[in-house]
């Protein structure tokens, strides 16, 4: 029983909270901006728990979809399904259960927020399969990881303003930046298996593509700051985030696996600093 529990914990990545944080930061940006400051406590609780639940469900779905590929990749061959510790149908059951709990969690929220949750779920299900046919599946990941943005605005305001969509698009570019760095870790294995990733699509222009994606993110943040009338303290967090991006570009420029993975993980700090800028800008 203990081994089964541990296998389920690995399936939903309890040992790797970085994915939850990369999903949580954009949601927190949106909650604070939509609320004009500290959001209501029940919204903060619902969206924080919902973020963890949906990320965990997404991981289970991803492992189910990639089980035939993961066994051929050094970094993933010991995942619970590929190592035989749990069955694929169990992973599907876990994903469905977590998604259902997340949907129950948002029942106190308005109809628009609930409707958007179905689109968020659809993208989360589709994403793992896009690596088979779409040149930049990281863009689909950005949509999945950013859906908390329009949902947060909908929950607070009852509608989705222009600034929410700008924030959303900026988050897509952020996901392309950090997940391209992540994809660079597995590029050789993905090429051998015939998978599609942005690291393969961008080829020798991978670092440039990451840099341009970061630029799109930071420009979107400036645009949103102007629309939201954030004060000049916003620039404190923004500048620290830019410094993080410069550090990441230095890491990925080496194209070494360990450096690219380090750059990916460090994006948690970038997201946190952008949140700090929003927080300070609203004071």
């Amino acid at each position: 029983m203990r081994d089964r529990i541990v296998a389920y914990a690995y399936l939903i990545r309890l040992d790797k909270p970085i994915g939850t944080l990369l999903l949580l930061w954009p949601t927190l940006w949106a909650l604070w901006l939509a609320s004009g400051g500290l959001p209501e406590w029940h919204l903060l609780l619902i969206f924080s728990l919902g973020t963890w639940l949906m990320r965990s469900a997404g991981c289970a779905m991803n492992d189910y979809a990639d089980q035939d590929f993961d066994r051929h990749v050094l970094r993933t061959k010991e995942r619970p399904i590929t190592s035989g510790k749990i069955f694929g149908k169990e992973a599907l059951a876990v994903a469905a259960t977590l998604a259902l709990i997340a949907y129950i969690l948002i029942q106190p929220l308005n109809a628009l927020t609930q409707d958007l949750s179905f689109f968020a779920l659809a993208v989360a299900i589709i994403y793992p399969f896009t690596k088979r046919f779409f040149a930049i599946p990281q863009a689909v990941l950005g949509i999945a990881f950013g859906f908390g943005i329009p949902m947060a605005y909908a929950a607070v305001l009852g509608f989705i303003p222009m600034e929410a969509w700008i924030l959303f698009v900026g988050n897509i570019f952020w996901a392309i930046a950090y997940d391209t760095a992540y994809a660079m870790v597995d590029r050789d294995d993905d090429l051998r298996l015939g998978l599609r990733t942005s690291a393969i699509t961008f080829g020798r222009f991978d670092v440039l593509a990451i840099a341009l994606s970061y630029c799109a993110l930071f420009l979107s943040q400036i645009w949103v700051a102007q629309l939201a009338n954030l004060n000049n303290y916003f620039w404190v967090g923004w500048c620290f985030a830019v410094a993080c991006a410069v550090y990441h570009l230095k890491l990925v420029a080496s194209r070494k696996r360990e450096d690219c993975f380090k750059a990916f993980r460090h994006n948690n700090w970038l997201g946190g600093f952008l949140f700090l800028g929003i927080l300070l800008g609203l004071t």
Side-chain angles (χ1 to χ4, degrees):
M1 179 61 70
R2 179 182 178 276
D3 290 341
R4 301 281 291 176
I5 293 173
V6 171
Y8 281 124
Y10 279 116
L11 177 70
I12 62 175
R13 309 290 196 273
L14 284 182
D15 60 318
K16 297 177 180 178
I18 179 63
T20 300
L21 292 169
L22 292 174
L23 185 57
L24 182 61
W25 286 126
T27 306
L28 294 181
W29 302 343
L31 277 175
W32 254 260
L33 285 166
S35 302
L38 183 66
E40 295 183 23
W41 70 268
H42 74 283
L43 290 177
L44 188 56
L45 179 62
I46 288 172
F47 276 92
S48 295
L49 288 176
T51 294
W52 177 78
L53 287 166
M54 288 308 298
R55 188 261 176 164
S56 298
C59 288
M61 187 66 203
N62 184 79
D63 283 10
Y64 172 79
D66 286 352
Q67 57 184 301
D68 293 333
F69 299 106
D70 284 347
R71 61 173 51 95
H72 301 292
V73 178
L74 179 63
R75 185 179 57 82
T76 60
K77 66 180 182 179
E78 293 302 322
R79 284 180 173 173
I81 299 179
T82 54
S83 62
K85 294 174 184 175
I86 63 174
F87 296 108
K89 291 182 179 179
E90 292 178 273
L92 282 180
V94 169
T97 300
L98 293 174
L100 178 61
I101 295 171
Y103 182 67
I104 294 172
L105 192 65
I106 65 169
Q107 289 311 294
L109 305 182
N110 58 43
L112 177 57
T113 308
Q114 293 179 32
D115 291 342
L116 287 169
S117 71
F118 289 104
F119 289 99
L121 177 61
V123 176
I125 292 172
I126 292 169
Y127 162 67
F129 299 98
T130 59
K131 289 175 278 187
R132 292 155 174 79
F133 62 86
F134 188 51
I136 308 178
Q138 282 68 22
V140 183
L141 177 71
I143 295 172
F145 269 37
F147 234 95
I149 293 172
M151 287 181 67
Y153 274 90
V156 175
L157 302 176
F159 66 96
I160 307 172
M162 177 61 71
E163 71 178 55
W165 295 117
I166 296 169
L167 202 65
F168 181 66
V169 172
N171 184 74
I172 294 174
F173 280 102
W174 185 33
I176 292 173
Y178 64 66
D179 210 55
T180 297
Y182 190 55
M184 289 168 71
V185 176
D186 296 329
R187 178 157 43 194
D188 293 339
D189 291 321
D190 290 336
L191 279 167
R192 178 168 48 84
L193 295 170
L195 294 175
R196 302 283 190 93
T197 71
S198 56
I200 293 171
T201 300
F202 295 141
R204 62 192 181 93
F205 299 107
D206 48 7
V207 177
L208 175 62
I210 293 172
L212 292 175
S213 296
Y214 274 137
C215 287
L217 165 68
F218 293 129
L219 288 173
S220 72
Q221 289 277 322
I222 294 172
W223 194 354
V224 168
Q226 292 176 338
L227 291 174
N229 294 314
L230 300 187
N231 64 45
N232 287 332
Y233 290 113
F234 159 79
W235 294 104
V236 174
W238 188 89
C239 288
F240 275 117
V242 170
C244 285
V246 172
Y247 173 59
H248 301 163
L249 290 171
K250 181 179 179 181
L251 287 171
V252 298
S254 72
R255 294 184 174 82
K256 295 179 180 178
R257 289 193 175 203
E258 59 273 18
D259 288 343
C260 292
F261 189 60
K262 186 176 182 180
F264 162 74
R265 289 175 55 87
H266 197 266
N267 269 273
N268 170 51
W269 288 97
L270 189 153
F273 281 128
L274 288 177
F275 175 67
L276 175 64
I278 291 169
L279 193 67
L280 294 174
L282 289 168
T283 55

